[in-house]
Amino acid sequence: MKAHLITYGCQMNEYDTHLVQSQLVSLGADIVDGVDEADFVLINTCAVRGKPVDKVRSVLGELRKLKTQRPLVVGMMGCLAQLEEGQQMARKFEVDVLLGPGSLLDIGKALESNERFWGLQFKDELHGHIPPPPAGKLQAHLTIMRGCDHHCTYCIVPTTRGPQVSRSPDDILRELDMQLAAGVQEVTLLGQNVNAYGVDGGAKLAGYPSFADLLRLVGRSGVSRVKFTTSHPMNFTEDVAAAMAETPAVCEFVHLPVQSGSDRVLRRMAREYTREQYLSHIADIRRHLPHAVLATDIIVGFPGETEEDFQDTLSLYDEVGYDSAYMFIYSPRPGTPSYKHFADLPREVKTERLQRLIVKQKEWSARRNAAHVGSIQEVLIRGDAHSEGFLEGHTRGNHPTVVSRAIGADGPGVYRVRIGHATPHMMYGRVLGEGGQELPELPRLNPEAAAMSAPLQMA
Ligand code: SAH
Ligand code: SF4
Ligand code: F3S
């Protein structure tokens, strides 16, 4: 069998794609790069906003057309597969295999079956399953929990991924050991709400560390860099900031989604914290980690959001001065409380607010990134950048970074880099040798790419 997998959505989905892909390989499948070569196409879907859902609908439409021309098995997994909306789509587009986020290990059974196979149960066995580490990669994801116990009124995730189930520290550390043995240097711990790790359905699990202690444990494993996502402010404790500060491997990067700066909106979102409480977490983080890099998620145009509420979001942005932000226009999701109970704001109001927020984000990201010009950063280089002669990677603070290919640094690895230039979205730098001197650049073939590094010479 030749299988091709397509992934939409978050890092949890990327992890799950890797998990299912490795199952397929162990069943004897070849993984191919394109739909054309494949006899099995599996789409890992996202349902968090309308856009990814529309995208899946159009891909399924194309695949159905293809099915009329040649033998092809089509599968759908992930969040959308768990929803009635996704199952209707699956029926309409003649999907053969449907696996919800809790049934991924049924992939073998699904492919053996001669009929349409739909797996929609949440099975805890998933946690004990350890996928082989990603081959030849310096970076890996590691799921520490699945599902979510919160009920933010806009969010479909608790419906698609079910209630929170933490993974045992043994399973986490076993998977980490395998990743380390395979050469992984940076691990990102994943969960919808990592700060609630070890407390499922409100009950503390015996033998499970707190999230702060899990960070300390993972930090002692020998991995060079530890990141984690996502943090819910409601469950954030000062001890997490303390654990970050005292554990050198844990990167000084915090992604703490605020969603809105207005208490009125936060209440309607059922976020369970106030603006003031959120800001006190930021103060804790800054006290323990003065150089912390801060990122957030913001939803603009939540139902009932007034201009004044939106101004509160803008002023909160200034108070925190985020390094980066993911900004979303509110997307009503069928099945969520806000969809049922609140009227959507006009499209123009939402897009106009997003534009203003993006201006704010760019100003701050430009300012924050510019402050790093001249500094030395530890950059994990993943591989080639788009432009010839350059490599791309990211810092401990998660800044996307581009460096020139240099003698002694022309492939993946962790390097010390002197930042020479920064834009709101990217930092540019030169790799340093042992003695702190810049390594000589490899000759570049592409004159356009050479022009791109011009600001470096000026800096
Ligand atoms: N568990 C994470 C995030 C899950 S979804 C957390 O709570 O932090 C990732 C982001 O998508 C959210 O932080 C939110 O900003 C955004 N999002 C979720 N539902 C949305 C919706 N209906 N419309 C627009 N954005 C949404
Ligand atoms: Fe959604 Fe809220 Fe859960 Fe995040 S914490 S997944 S936003 S319900
Ligand atoms: Fe999307 Fe599911 Fe992740 S809805 S954002 S893929 S948890």
Side-chain angles (χ1 to χ4, degrees), residues 2 13 17 36-37 45 65 100 113 147 154 172 195 215 224 258 271 288 297 325 384 388 391 403 405-406 429:
K2 291 189 160 68
N13 265 17
T17 295
D36 293 344
E37 307 151 65
T45 61
K65 255 188 253 156
S113 135
Y154 53 81
I172 295 170
N195 293 294
L215 281 179
S224 322
V258 66
R271 284 293 285 181
H288 287 274
D297 291 355
D384 291 339
E388 205 160 344
L391 300 164
V403 303
R405 259 173 192 287

Side-chain angles (χ1 to χ4, degrees), residues 280-303:
S280 86
H281 294 314
I282 297 290
D284 287 343
I285 295 168
R286 292 232 192 269
R287 198 166 50 250
H288 287 274
L289 298 150
H291 301 296
V293 174
L294 293 172
T296 197
D297 291 355
I298 294 173
I299 297 177
V300 297
F302 186 75

Side-chain angles (χ1 to χ4, degrees), residues 48-49 154-155 192 230-232 257 259 271 297-299 328-331 333:
V48 81
R49 281 173 290 277
Y154 53 81
C155 189
Q192 290 302 334
T230 308
S231 286
H232 192 299
Q259 313 300 359
R271 284 293 285 181
D297 291 355
I298 294 173
I299 297 177
F328 308 104
I329 282 184
Y330 169 71
S331 171
R333 303 305 305 136

Side-chain angles (χ1 to χ4, degrees), residues 8-10 12-13 45-49 79 156-157 160-161 192:
Y8 298 106
C10 59
M12 300 283 286
N13 265 17
T45 61
C46 174
V48 81
R49 281 173 290 277
C79 287
I156 198 68
V157 174
T160 65
R161 287 185 171 261
Q192 290 302 334

